[in-house]
């Protein structure tokens, strides 16, 4: 759970979406865990896509510490 505690919300989804999310859920996981994992994975995928786009462009700025 988050540091802020839990908040109960209803998120309407289709039966097929619910089934897909349910199949991702491992024993002991909550739906909150599953959704957080999906959000984290999406963020990682976005970072990889952006990094590949920048590398393909081949233009880099010098970064001084």
């Amino acid at each position: 759970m988050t540091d802020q505690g839990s908040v109960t919300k209803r998120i309407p989804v289709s039966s097929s979406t619910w089934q897909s999310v349910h199949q991702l859920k491992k024993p002991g996981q909550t739906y909150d865990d599953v959704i957080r994992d999906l959000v984290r994975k999406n963020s990682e995928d976005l970072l990889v896509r952006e990094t590949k786009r920048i590398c393909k462009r081949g233009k880099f700025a010098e970064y001084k510490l």
Side-chain angles (χ1 to χ4, degrees):
M1 255 335 119
T2 65
D3 292 338
Q4 299 170 353
S6 70
V7 176
T8 302
K9 297 282 183 177
R10 290 182 49 101
I11 304 171
V13 297
S14 67
S15 298
S16 61
T17 299
W18 184 88
Q19 188 62 30
S20 295
V21 173
H22 180 72
Q23 289 175 354
L24 294 172
K25 188 174 173 286
K26 298 177 182 107
Q29 266 191 322
T30 64
Y31 283 103
D32 186 66
D33 296 332
V34 175
I35 293 169
R36 270 189 285 127
D37 287 347
L38 290 169
V39 170
R40 180 190 49 76
K41 175 75 170 114
N42 184 68
S43 296
E44 290 171 359
D45 290 349
L46 178 60
L47 177 62
V48 168
R49 285 193 309 270
E50 278 298 300
T51 302
K52 286 180 180 180
R53 185 185 65 79
I54 292 167
C55 288
K56 186 177 179 180
R57 189 177 62 186
K59 294 180 182 177
F60 304 95
E62 184 178 348
Y63 182 77
K64 294 182 182 182
L65 294 175

